[in-house]
Amino acid sequence: MHDAWILRSAEIVVDGMPGVLVLKGEDLSAAYPGMVRYTLEFRKEDTVLYTYRTNTYEYPPANPQTAESVALTAFHRLRRELPERPETFVLHQPEPAVRPLPPRRPEAAVIIQGSPRLYGNSAILAGWAADACRDAGLRCETLSPAEMRIEACTGCFRCYNAGRCVIQDDMPVIDRALAEAGLVIVCTPVYTETVPAALKAVIDRCQAYRAARVLAGGEAGRQAGILCAVSGRKGAENFVCVSRVAGSFFRFIGAEMLGEVCVDGVDAVSDIRATVGREAGGRAELQALINRAAD
């Protein structure tokens, strides 16, 4: 639960029946420093008929408005206009305060294959990971963001109002898979020292997934993460940025990063299976990490 307080409250009569208009603030600093969500509700007895929400991070520094001023303006407007024109406001069922997420399933794993090359080396690594998951008794799903419609995050922070993104695309498929998975595996090539654009879009858009978890009260059960990465050039230094991005992603969604399987020098051989012993070694590394996650 989050600390909450009442800013304004008023009894009003709508369609001949008394109701209560309430504006409350809610501390969401567990998500971001100083974040406050404001909720305006009109209810008759135990039934909520109208809801409006906004939060402090929706308003950037150069915006002359603040979340509190907008919420107070909405309160005073509804207090005046709702009795006169209820049909203008009470048109739809109000949204729930939190978007429900499916329960965590320890036996479920999701592989996010981040490369736009669907038959490249990252896809080969994803195949090894899928085999290892099945051998460990896990139910495995592989998602390729490059094959999905994932828009870029706009940084609007409206997801912290009700735990859902305002952009309508394929991201809910990934959110569902992340929510259910006890194990999350990210497979990616190194593109200009970091991850490909489609994978980065997924990582950024997980803001709404995190918002849903925060609003629901936090942890949903143990979750582990593994990074698999491929670099064209030789040397461990080529994976520094990718490792940091993946590590930040796992922390952001609440997963513990168990380890990495990184394959370098791929440009010289084209196919990671061409080097003697590399496939056996890679599969063994993955199996050991995935077995740890499954225990």
Side-chain angles (χ1 to χ4, degrees):
M1 296 294 293
H2 311 286
D3 292 335
W5 57 95
I6 303 297
L7 282 83
R8 296 287 190 278
S9 178
E11 293 187 3
I12 56 178
V13 177
V14 177
D15 291 334
M17 295 185 63
V20 179
L21 184 65
V22 177
L23 174 62
K24 69 177 181 179
E26 190 175 3
D27 177 18
L28 295 185
S29 57
Y32 286 101
M35 177 178 272
V36 176
R37 178 175 69 163
Y38 295 93
T39 299
L40 178 61
E41 286 184 348
F42 172 65
R43 61 174 65 230
K44 290 183 178 180
E45 298 180 344
D46 295 329
T47 303
V48 178
L49 298 177
Y50 175 85
T51 302
Y52 170 76
R53 297 186 183 89
T54 189
N55 72 79
T56 51
Y57 273 59
E58 286 187 71
Y59 303 86
N63 193 320
Q65 295 179 312
T66 65
E68 184 174 6
S69 67
V70 169
L72 286 169
T73 298
F75 175 86
H76 291 299
R77 180 187 175 192
L78 260 71
R79 185 180 184 181
R80 181 181 66 253
E81 298 183 13
L82 192 54
E84 301 172 356
R85 298 186 293 118
E87 71 283 352
T88 302
F89 302 97
V90 186
L91 296 176
H92 310 285
Q93 288 294 319
E95 291 186 329
V98 182
R99 183 193 67 174
L101 289 171
R104 180 69 39 80
R105 302 181 186 279
E107 76 282 2
V110 60
I111 299 171
I112 301 178
Q113 200 292 95
S115 175
R117 303 184 71 186
L118 303 181
Y119 302 99
N121 287 304
S122 292
I124 293 171
L125 266 180
W128 296 352
D131 291 343
C133 285
R134 285 188 285 269
D135 289 345
L138 301 179
R139 175 173 58 83
C140 183
E141 178 180 15
T142 299
L143 299 173
S144 297
E147 293 187 292
M148 306 170 73
R149 189 171 70 87
I150 308 294
E151 303 292 335
C153 178
T154 63
C156 71
F157 285 96
R158 289 168 65 187
C159 52
Y160 283 90
N161 293 331
R164 61 179 59 80
C165 185
V166 298
I167 300 172
Q168 296 184 359
D169 58 7
D170 294 334
M171 192 63 198
V173 175
I174 294 178
D175 288 344
R176 173 198 54 77
L178 290 175
E180 291 183 346
L183 173 63
V184 180
I185 302 173
V186 173
C187 296
T188 179
V190 177
Y191 274 25
T192 321
E193 305 298 333
T194 187
V195 299
L199 176 56
K200 186 58 166 64
V202 166
I203 292 171
D204 292 344
R205 287 286 303 286
C206 279
Q207 186 78 252
Y209 171 73
R210 180 172 182 258
R213 290 180 62 249
V214 169
L215 294 175
E219 299 303 321
R222 180 178 179 270
Q223 189 175 54
I226 296 172
L227 169 65
C228 300
V230 176
S231 170
R233 294 180 296 180
K234 289 188 67 65
E237 68 276 5
N238 294 298
F239 299 103
V240 171
C241 289
V242 167
S243 180
R244 288 178 177 172
V245 169
S248 295
F249 168 64
F250 289 135
R251 286 192 299 274
F252 198 67
I253 65 173
E256 175 193 0
M257 189 169 181
L258 291 185
E260 305 174 357
V261 176
C262 297
V263 181
D264 66 347
V266 173
D267 283 350
V269 296
S270 180
D271 187 331
I272 59 175
R273 296 166 296 187
T275 302
V276 175
R278 178 168 277 176
E279 178 171 356
R283 285 182 179 274
E285 285 184 75
L286 276 166
Q287 194 68 65
L289 289 172
I290 290 169
N291 286 346
R292 279 181 56 196
D295 288 342

